[in-house]
Amino acid sequence: MKIVIVGGVAAGASAAARARRLDEHAEILLLQSGPDVSFASCGMPYLIGNEITDRASMAVQTPQSLNARLNIIVRVNTKVNEINTTDQTVVARNETTGDIYTEPYDELVLAVGAAPFKPPIPGIDRPGLFTLRNLQEMDAIVQWLNVKTETKKPADMHCVVAGAGFIGLEMVEQLHHRGMNVTLVEMMPQILAPMDQEMAAMLHKDLEDHDVNVIVGDAIKEFAAYEKDADSSVLTLQSGRVLPPAQLTILGLGVRPDTGVVKAAGIELSPRGHILVDEHLHTSAANVWAAGDAVEIINPILPDEKWAVPLAGPANRQGRMIADNIYGKKRSFRGTYAVSVVRSFDLYAACVGLNEKFLKAKNVPYNVVHVHPNSHAGYYPGAEKIHLKLVFDKESGKIYGAQAVGKDGVEKRIDVIGTAMQGKMTVSDLAELELCYAPPVGSAKDPVNFAGMAAQNIMDGLISNVEWYEMDDLVKNPDVFVLDVRGGAEIEKTGKLAEKAVNIPVDDLRARLSEVPKDKRIVVSCASGQRSYYACRILKQNGYANVDNLDGAYLTFHAAHPEPAA
Amino acid sequence: MKIVIVGGVAAGASAAARARRLDEHAEILLLQSGPDVSFASCGMPYLIGNEITDRASMAVQTPQSLNARLNIIVRVNTKVNEINTTDQTVVARNETTGDIYTEPYDELVLAVGAAPFKPPIPGIDRPGLFTLRNLQEMDAIVQWLNVKTETKKPADMHCVVAGAGFIGLEMVEQLHHRGMNVTLVEMMPQILAPMDQEMAAMLHKDLEDHDVNVIVGDAIKEFAAYEKDADSSVLTLQSGRVLPPAQLTILGLGVRPDTGVVKAAGIELSPRGHILVDEHLHTSAANVWAAGDAVEIINPILPDEKWAVPLAGPANRQGRMIADNIYGKKRSFRGTYAVSVVRSFDLYAACVGLNEKFLKAKNVPYNVVHVHPNSHAGYYPGAEKIHLKLVFDKESGKIYGAQAVGKDGVEKRIDVIGTAMQGKMTVSDLAELELCYAPPVGSAKDPVNFAGMAAQNIMDGLISNVEWYEMDDLVKNPDVFVLDVRGGAEIEKTGKLAEKAVNIPVDDLRARLSEVPKDKRIVVSCASGQRSYYACRILKQNGYANVDNLDGAYLTFHAAHPEPAA
C-alpha cells in the first residue's frame, strides 16, 4: 500500500499519522509545498504580537519528527503540479532543485488547503502588504516590523487590517498589543460575519474602546506609495476616504480553495472551487480522498445544504477519518457545525451553526432569543455577563445555531450548545441540561439553561418576542404602547429605550395596571428580558391580548442601536 | 388553585416562581422552616473564607422580593408538622409565635431538602462543632471564628473538617484561606467519593502540598473537651490517633433526606428515606409532588436504577417542572446525571455519571481510558494538563461517566461529555465532536476528542489497556516484559515506572525491536499514554501477539502509586 498525501498541515498530517497507526508497513509519502509541516497556523497572530515568544513551538511536528516517530517520508518545498487519476500518479516538483518526477499512488489524500484571497486592487503587491498563510509569511511580518520599529516608535506607526474575520480580529489585537495604531477595514456592514449584527456590535464597540479605528461597509480601492516613505502605503477606500499612511497592512480577506491542480485533474469541484466529497470523504476520482479547508462538506443543520468551513478541528478529524476509510472502516463524516471562537481584547466571541442572517436569506422560518446571564453565580466575585443568542425552530425545538459574547465562560456555553446540536437535541433539552455548578464556574441555572427556557417559553406560547431592529417602527406606531419595567433610577443611569416608553417598574405593575391601555399592542422591555418576561405574563393573564417582549431587552437593543428608538 | 410549597431554597422557590408565571391568579403559599428563602447555599463556604464579602448577596431572594415580584405569600420560620393527604391539608407551626394552624392545598409541593448527617459520636454536641446547612449555621461559624481570632492568631488555630465531600473540600480551602491549620478526616480510603481513587489522589496530593493534614480511612470516635480550653475539642479517631486540639470542627459528613413528616403522612419513601416520585415528579399521594435533595430520582445511565443526587441544578429544574406539570404540561424528568465540580485550591475536579468503583460493585462490564492533554494549544502560554478519565462500554460505545482534574478548562470538558451523555451520544461521537478552538481556550484536537479517540481505539481493537492498579502484579510476573518508551532523561527527571521496566524510546523502537522478546506479554508505558499507544501499534504489527498499553501511563500510575511498581 502506498499512500500519497498532498498537504501536511492539519488534515494531511492527521491522515498520515493515523494511517501509520493502522498500517505499520504502508509506504506513506507526504508532499508539502512549503518548508513546514503540521505548524501552528492559529498561533501565528500571537507570535507576531509577542504573546508567543517561542518560535520553535510553532512547528508542532517537523519532517524529521514525523519520520522518526511515524516512519513517514516527508518532502517539503515540493509542489504537486499534476494529478493523473487514470494512471494513479502525481507529478511533483522539488522547488529547491527544480527536479520534476512522477510518483504513483494506491491512495491519494488531497489536503491542499486554502490560500488567502488577494483581490485585484491596484497596488496590492506593494511592499508592506502581507497575507498570513504560513510560517514564512509570519516571519516576513515579524521581520518587517522589526526593521520598521528600529527607526519608528510603535506609537508612531499605523497598521491597517483589511477584513474583520477571525484572523483579522486577532491581528488587530496583536498589533495593538505591540503598541501600534490600528485601523480595521471591513467591506460588509458589520465585523465578524459568522455572527449577527447586534452580537458583533459588542465587539465593534470594544474595539473602539481600545482606540482601534473600525471602518465597516467600505472596502479598499487602491494602495498607493506614500510620497515620504516608499515602504508605507496610502489606502484609498471605495467611499473616497483616505487613510493615514500605513507602515503595515494585513490582508485578511478570507480564503479561496487552492484547487487549481485538482480541477485540472478533472476531479469534481463546487462552483466556488471546493472539492466535492461523499460522506466518506471520497472525491469523484477512484482512490482519491480530500479533507480540510479545500473541501465542501455537509452542512448537517439544514437538509441538502453543503458549505465550506475552513477550521482546524474538522480538518484534523477529516484527515483521521480518511485514513480509517482507506483501511475499510467506512466511517461517515456527519458534517461540520462551524463551532468557532475568537478572542478580541477582553472579549470572547463564539458561535455555532447558522445565524439569523443566513436563515432569513434562505427563507427558513426561525425564532431567536437573547439572554444575558452571568458567567457564574452572581454572589461570587468576578461574574461577567454572557450575551447569548439562540436561533431555533419553534415548532420542533430544533437548534439552528447560537452566538455568545462576553469575558468569561463564553466558548464553554457554545461548546455545550454545539454538542447538543451534534446530538440532535432540542431547545427543551437545553432547558433541562445538567451542567457543572460551583460558585466560581457556574450557576444553578446555567446560561445555557436560561437560553433553553426562554426558547421553551416561546414554543409553549407563554410569550412572544419582537426584535431590536423592529423597535424604530414600533415606537412610530400610535397603536403600540412601549412599556419599560426597569426601575426609574436604572433608566437614568443606563439610558432610555425610547422617548415614548412609559416606565412602570415590574414590582409595581400589578398595582398600576390601569395605566396600561387595553386597546393597544403592548411591547415590554427591561434590562435583560427577565423582568419584561414576568411583566408580559402578568399582562397576558390580566386581559391584555396583544403583548410582546423585546427579546434581549435594553442590553441587546442598546448594543446594536446606541440611540433611543425613534 | 391553591398551591402550598414546603421548602423555599432551590426546588421550592423555582416551583413557586414558575407557577406564578403560568397562573397569575393562583394562591401560592411557600412555607419555609428557617428565616431565609432562596439563599446561596453553595456560596456559604466562600463567605466563611472571606472570598465573598457581601453577606446581603447570599440572600438571592427575600420573602419581600418574592412577594413584590411574584405575589407569593412566604411564611418563614414556619415548620410543617403534619401532612394530611386525604383532607389535602398541612398543619404548620409558626416557630416565632408558637401558633399552629391548618392550611388546605389543591396541590402540594414537597421541597423539604436534606439535613446534614450528625452521627451519634460522643461529644458531637460540643461547642465549636458545626454543620453547614443554612445561613444561620454559616453566621454561627463566622461569629465563632471572629470571637476566637480576637484572642488567637489564625496561624495558631487548628480546624478539623470531617468528611471530604464537596462542602468538606471547600471548607478546607476556605479555612486555609483564613490562615488556619486544617486537618481533613475522611472515613473512606480516599477523598471525594464521586471520583475514583487515582483521580482523587491528585487532589489529595495538592491538599498536602498546601500543608493540609489529610487523613483517610479513619473516622472520628470521640470529641472530648480540651482541658486548657473548654471551647476546643480533642478528637480521637477510630484508629486511636489523637488530633491536636481543634478550635473549630466542620461536620461535612453528607446529608440525609429531611422526610420525617413525609413518612408520617404515608407517602412512599425509599429504604434510605428519600421520597419516591414518578417521571412527572409526582409522589404516591394525589396532588403531592416532590423535588430536590429529598427525592430519589431516575439514574438514566443504567436501566432501572435510581439514586439521590443532592445538587442545586437538578433541584431548580425539578421545581420548575413540577409547576409545569401542575398546569398539565406532563413533562417528564429524564433523571439526574450527577454533573458536578468542586474547586480545591488551584485544582478543579469535575465529574459526571458513574465511576469505575460503582460499575465494579454492580458487576457491569466497562472499559476506561485516561488521557492527559493540555487545556489549550500547547504552543500558547499557560496551557495546563487536564487529567481526564472516561468510563464506557466497549461493545456499544455508551458513555458511563467521566472525571477530570486540572487547573483550567476542567468543568468545560465535563459539561461537554455530560451533554453528550444526556444526548445519548457515544464515545465515537466524542472522537468526532466539533468544539471551539482558539489558542487561548482550546486545541484543534480537544481533550474530549482525545478521550473519545482513545476509547474508539479500544472499541476498534487497535489497542488494549491495563490499569495502574494491575502494575504491581504485572511486574512480579516473569512472563511480562515492561517497556517504557519515554526518553531516558525524562525518566531520570520524573521517576521510574518500575525497576524492572526496560527503556527503549519510541522513536528508536523500530530499530531496536530485537530487544523486545516475542514470547512474553508486553506492557508498554510512556508519560501520558500517547507514545505508548504508538509503540503498541508498532509492536502489534510486527508480530507481537500480546501487547497492552498502560492506560494513562506514568502520569496516572504515579498519581495513585508514588513508588515504582514492585
Side-chain angles (χ1 to χ4, degrees):
Chain A
M1 167 75 81
K2 177 168 176 183
I3 302 173
V4 173
I5 300 171
V6 184
V9 186
S14 289
R18 178 70 170 177
R20 173 58 70 224
R21 274 168 242 148
L22 297 177
D23 185 358
E24 179 65 12
H25 306 292
E27 184 182 346
I28 303 174
L29 179 62
L30 199 156
L31 307 176
Q32 167 69 349
S33 57
D36 299 294
V37 287
S38 199
F39 57 89
S41 302
C42 301
M44 296 190 298
Y46 299 98
L47 186 121
I48 293 167
N50 290 335
E51 268 198 64
I52 296 174
T53 51
D54 179 11
R55 169 64 175 77
S57 72
M58 302 295 287
V60 177
Q61 296 291 341
T62 63
Q64 294 72 33
S65 72
L66 283 178
N67 186 255
R69 185 147 305 167
L70 297 166
N71 192 23
I72 290 164
I73 302 160
V74 179
R75 298 204 191 123
V76 293
N77 298 314
T78 297
K79 249 185 130 166
V80 170
N81 290 326
E82 203 182 315
I83 301 166
N84 190 324
T85 59
T86 318
D87 293 357
Q88 301 211 158
T89 58
V90 298
V91 179
R93 180 177 190 273
N94 181 325
E95 300 282 301
T96 316
T97 64
D99 286 352
I100 294 178
Y101 56 95
T102 296
E103 196 69 63
Y105 62 79
D106 296 315
E107 304 281 347
L108 178 66
V109 180
L110 300 175
V112 293
F117 178 53
K118 276 180 88 169
I121 300 171
I124 195 141
D125 291 318
R126 284 191 44 71
L129 273 61
F130 296 90
T131 56
L132 183 56
R133 187 192 188 180
N134 54 39
L135 297 183
Q136 288 62 57
E137 294 184 349
M138 176 189 81
D139 290 336
I141 294 169
V142 169
Q143 174 64 13
W144 179 268
L145 285 175
N146 288 348
V147 169
K148 292 294 148 197
T149 49
E150 276 171 20
T151 54
K152 228 175 163 76
K153 274 187 280 186
D156 296 330
M157 288 175 64
H158 178 225
C159 303
V160 175
V161 175
F166 295 135
I167 291 175
L169 288 179
E170 287 169 349
M171 282 307 306
V172 165
E173 183 191 2
Q174 294 303 314
L175 293 170
H176 181 277
H177 190 240
R178 289 190 64 153
M180 301 171 199
N181 302 295
V182 185
T183 297
L184 175 63
V185 182
E186 168 60 52
M187 186 174 64
M188 304 294 287
Q190 64 164 80
I191 64 167
L192 207 55
M195 307 201 100
D196 286 312
Q197 185 185 344
E198 77 283 10
M199 303 299 289
M202 299 179 191
L203 274 85
H204 186 130
K205 180 171 185 305
D206 187 64
L207 288 171
E208 292 182 335
D209 289 347
H210 285 87
D211 294 322
V212 175
N213 180 25
V214 185
I215 300 169
V216 293
D218 207 347
I220 297 164
K221 189 180 167 188
E222 186 187 45
F223 297 90
Y226 176 44
E227 55 192 15
K228 296 187 185 166
D229 172 17
D231 275 359
S232 295
S233 293
V234 176
L235 281 73
T236 307
L237 305 185
Q238 292 290 350
S239 63
R241 183 169 173 177
V242 179
L243 301 184
Q247 283 75 52
L248 173 74
T249 300
I250 303 290
L251 300 169
L253 299 169
V255 293
R256 297 291 181 274
D258 201 356
T259 49
V261 173
V262 184
K263 187 178 183 182
I267 293 169
E268 279 182 37
L269 303 184
S270 75
R272 291 180 56 218
H274 294 94
I275 304 171
L276 297 180
V277 290
D278 66 14
E279 62 176 319
H280 306 300
L281 304 171
H282 195 276
T283 71
S284 63
N287 304 320
V288 182
W289 312 77
D293 293 1
V295 304
E296 191 180 86
I297 208 81
I298 295 162
N299 172 337
I301 306 165
L302 289 180
D304 307 322
E305 287 278 329
K306 298 188 104 188
W307 58 358
V309 182
L311 290 170
N316 272 296
R317 285 185 294 285
Q318 288 164 14
R320 182 174 185 267
M321 188 172 283
I322 286 175
D324 281 353
N325 288 345
I326 285 174
Y327 286 95
K329 290 202 194 289
K330 288 246 168 212
R331 294 204 203 276
S332 295
F333 196 78
R334 65 164 163 235
T336 298
Y337 285 79
V339 186
S340 61
V341 62
V342 65
R343 191 188 72 190
S344 175
F345 294 96
D346 307 324
L347 291 179
Y348 288 89
C351 56
V352 52
L354 308 178
N355 57 32
E356 194 178 350
K357 286 180 292 193
F358 181 94
L359 292 166
K360 200 174 271 183
K362 290 262 175 192
N363 273 316
V364 177
Y366 66 88
N367 277 75
V368 302
V369 291
H370 293 78
V371 294
H372 310 277
N374 284 323
S375 57
H376 64 242
Y379 58 79
Y380 185 87
E384 299 283 354
K385 284 224 172 302
I386 293 178
H387 307 284
L388 177 57
K389 176 178 188 174
L390 192 63
V391 188
F392 64 101
D393 172 48
K394 80 169 177 179
E395 301 308 320
S396 64
K398 175 175 174 167
I399 308 164
Y400 285 129
Q403 301 161 47
V405 174
K407 291 184 181 176
D408 180 45
V410 169
E411 97 287 353
K412 174 166 87 171
R413 273 61 183 211
I414 292 300
D415 275 344
V416 166
I417 296 173
T419 301
M421 289 174 69
Q422 290 169 73
K424 307 286 180 198
M425 297 166 81
T426 66
V427 294
S428 293
D429 292 319
L430 298 185
E432 295 305 321
L433 208 54
E434 200 182 329
L435 296 165
C436 284
Y437 166 41
V441 290
S443 298
K445 283 181 195 156
D446 192 85
V448 172
N449 299 136
F450 267 110
M453 289 174 184
Q456 210 179 40
N457 287 336
I458 288 178
M459 289 182 72
D460 290 348
L462 290 178
I463 194 169
S464 58
N465 278 352
V466 297
E467 293 302 316
W468 66 272
Y469 49 76
E470 301 177 67
M471 282 307 292
D472 281 336
D473 285 345
L474 287 166
V475 298
K476 285 192 192 88
N477 185 336
D479 293 329
V480 170
F481 181 86
V482 179
L483 175 64
D484 189 332
V485 299
R486 290 181 289 174
E490 198 182 341
I491 295 175
E492 285 288 314
K493 198 174 148 194
T494 50
K496 279 188 183 176
L497 174 71
E499 289 298 337
K500 187 185 159 178
V502 174
N503 176 227
I504 304 176
V506 64
D507 291 353
D508 302 344
L509 184 60
R510 287 185 183 87
R512 292 173 60 184
L513 276 180
S514 62
E515 299 173 39
V516 184
K518 287 233 159 154
D519 57 344
K520 291 194 175 186
R521 179 179 180 188
I522 318 292
V523 173
V524 191
S525 181
C526 62
S528 72
Q530 192 159 24
R531 284 171 291 175
S532 58
Y533 163 53
Y534 296 165
C536 286
R537 293 304 304 154
I538 293 170
L539 293 169
K540 273 177 179 269
Q541 297 185 76
N542 277 289
Y544 291 82
N546 200 348
V547 181
D548 287 304
N549 184 46
L550 174 58
D551 177 32
Y554 187 71
L555 278 169
T556 293
F557 175 82
H558 185 65
H561 193 304
E563 296 302 313
Chain B
M1 169 74 80
K2 178 172 175 180
I3 302 173
V4 174
I5 300 170
V6 185
V9 186
S14 289
R18 179 69 171 178
R20 174 57 73 225
R21 273 168 243 149
L22 296 177
D23 184 358
E24 178 66 13
H25 306 293
E27 184 181 346
I28 304 174
L29 180 63
L30 198 157
L31 307 175
Q32 167 69 347
S33 56
D36 299 293
V37 287
S38 198
F39 57 88
S41 301
C42 301
M44 296 191 297
Y46 300 98
L47 187 120
I48 293 168
N50 290 335
E51 267 197 65
I52 296 174
T53 51
D54 178 12
R55 169 65 174 78
S57 72
M58 302 295 288
V60 178
Q61 295 291 341
T62 64
Q64 295 70 34
S65 72
L66 283 178
N67 186 257
R69 182 146 307 167
L70 297 167
N71 192 22
I72 290 164
I73 302 160
V74 179
R75 297 201 192 125
V76 292
N77 298 315
T78 296
K79 246 187 130 163
V80 169
N81 290 326
E82 205 182 313
I83 300 166
N84 190 323
T85 58
T86 318
D87 294 357
Q88 300 210 161
T89 59
V90 299
V91 178
R93 180 176 190 272
N94 181 324
E95 299 281 300
T96 316
T97 64
D99 285 353
I100 293 177
Y101 56 93
T102 297
E103 197 68 63
Y105 63 80
D106 295 315
E107 304 282 348
L108 178 66
V109 180
L110 300 175
V112 295
F117 178 53
K118 276 179 86 167
I121 299 171
I124 195 143
D125 291 318
R126 285 191 42 71
L129 274 60
F130 297 89
T131 56
L132 182 56
R133 187 192 189 180
N134 54 39
L135 297 183
Q136 289 62 57
E137 293 183 348
M138 175 189 81
D139 290 338
I141 295 169
V142 170
Q143 173 64 14
W144 180 267
L145 285 176
N146 288 349
V147 169
K148 293 294 148 197
T149 48
E150 276 172 19
T151 55
K152 228 176 164 75
K153 276 185 279 186
D156 297 330
M157 287 176 65
H158 178 225
C159 302
V160 175
V161 174
F166 296 135
I167 292 177
L169 287 181
E170 288 170 347
M171 282 307 304
V172 165
E173 184 190 2
Q174 294 302 315
L175 293 170
H176 181 277
H177 190 239
R178 288 190 63 152
M180 301 174 197
N181 301 295
V182 185
T183 297
L184 174 64
V185 182
E186 169 60 52
M187 186 172 66
M188 304 295 287
Q190 65 165 82
I191 64 168
L192 206 54
M195 306 202 103
D196 287 312
Q197 185 184 342
E198 78 283 9
M199 302 301 288
M202 299 179 192
L203 275 86
H204 186 131
K205 178 169 186 306
D206 187 64
L207 288 170
E208 292 182 336
D209 288 346
H210 284 89
D211 294 322
V212 175
N213 180 24
V214 185
I215 300 169
V216 294
D218 207 347
I220 298 164
K221 189 180 169 189
E222 187 187 46
F223 296 92
Y226 176 43
E227 56 192 12
K228 295 186 185 164
D229 172 17
D231 275 357
S232 294
S233 293
V234 175
L235 282 73
T236 307
L237 305 185
Q238 293 288 351
S239 62
R241 182 170 173 177
V242 179
L243 301 184
Q247 283 75 52
L248 172 74
T249 300
I250 303 290
L251 300 168
L253 299 168
V255 294
R256 297 291 182 273
D258 201 358
T259 49
V261 173
V262 184
K263 185 178 185 181
I267 293 170
E268 279 182 38
L269 302 184
S270 76
R272 291 179 55 216
H274 294 94
I275 305 171
L276 297 180
V277 290
D278 66 14
E279 61 177 317
H280 307 299
L281 304 172
H282 195 276
T283 72
S284 63
N287 304 319
V288 182
W289 312 78
D293 293 359
V295 304
E296 192 180 84
I297 207 82
I298 296 162
N299 172 338
I301 306 166
L302 289 180
D304 308 323
E305 287 278 327
K306 298 187 102 188
W307 59 358
V309 182
L311 290 171
N316 272 296
R317 285 185 294 285
Q318 289 164 14
R320 181 174 185 265
M321 188 173 282
I322 286 176
D324 281 352
N325 287 344
I326 285 174
Y327 287 93
K329 290 201 195 287
K330 287 246 170 214
R331 293 204 204 275
S332 295
F333 195 77
R334 66 166 161 230
T336 298
Y337 286 79
V339 186
S340 62
V341 62
V342 65
R343 190 189 71 190
S344 175
F345 294 96
D346 307 324
L347 291 179
Y348 288 89
C351 55
V352 53
L354 308 177
N355 57 33
E356 193 178 350
K357 286 180 292 197
F358 181 94
L359 292 166
K360 201 173 270 183
K362 290 261 174 192
N363 273 317
V364 177
Y366 67 88
N367 276 78
V368 302
V369 289
H370 294 78
V371 293
H372 310 276
N374 284 323
S375 57
H376 63 243
Y379 59 79
Y380 185 87
E384 298 283 356
K385 283 223 173 303
I386 293 179
H387 307 284
L388 177 57
K389 176 178 187 173
L390 191 63
V391 189
F392 64 101
D393 173 47
K394 80 169 175 178
E395 302 307 321
S396 64
K398 175 176 175 166
I399 309 164
Y400 286 129
Q403 302 161 47
V405 174
K407 292 185 181 175
D408 180 44
V410 169
E411 96 288 353
K412 173 166 88 170
R413 272 61 183 212
I414 293 300
D415 275 345
V416 166
I417 296 174
T419 301
M421 290 174 69
Q422 291 169 73
K424 308 286 181 197
M425 296 165 82
T426 67
V427 294
S428 293
D429 292 319
L430 298 185
E432 296 306 319
L433 209 54
E434 200 183 328
L435 296 165
C436 285
Y437 165 40
V441 290
S443 298
K445 283 182 193 155
D446 192 86
V448 172
N449 299 135
F450 267 110
M453 289 174 185
Q456 210 180 37
N457 287 336
I458 288 178
M459 290 181 72
D460 289 347
L462 290 180
I463 194 169
S464 59
N465 278 352
V466 297
E467 292 302 315
W468 66 271
Y469 48 75
E470 300 176 67
M471 281 308 291
D472 281 337
D473 286 344
L474 288 167
V475 298
K476 284 192 192 87
N477 187 334
D479 293 328
V480 171
F481 181 85
V482 179
L483 176 63
D484 189 332
V485 299
R486 291 180 288 173
E490 198 182 340
I491 295 176
E492 284 288 313
K493 197 174 150 194
T494 50
K496 281 188 183 174
L497 174 70
E499 289 297 339
K500 185 184 158 178
V502 174
N503 176 226
I504 304 176
V506 65
D507 291 352
D508 302 344
L509 184 58
R510 287 186 183 89
R512 292 174 60 184
L513 276 180
S514 63
E515 298 172 41
V516 184
K518 286 231 159 153
D519 58 341
K520 291 195 175 187
R521 178 178 180 190
I522 318 292
V523 173
V524 191
S525 180
C526 62
S528 71
Q530 195 160 23
R531 284 171 290 174
S532 57
Y533 163 53
Y534 297 164
C536 286
R537 293 302 304 153
I538 293 169
L539 292 169
K540 273 176 179 272
Q541 297 185 79
N542 277 289
Y544 291 82
N546 200 348
V547 180
D548 287 303
N549 184 46
L550 174 58
D551 177 32
Y554 187 72
L555 278 169
T556 293
F557 174 83
H558 185 65
H561 193 302
E563 296 302 314

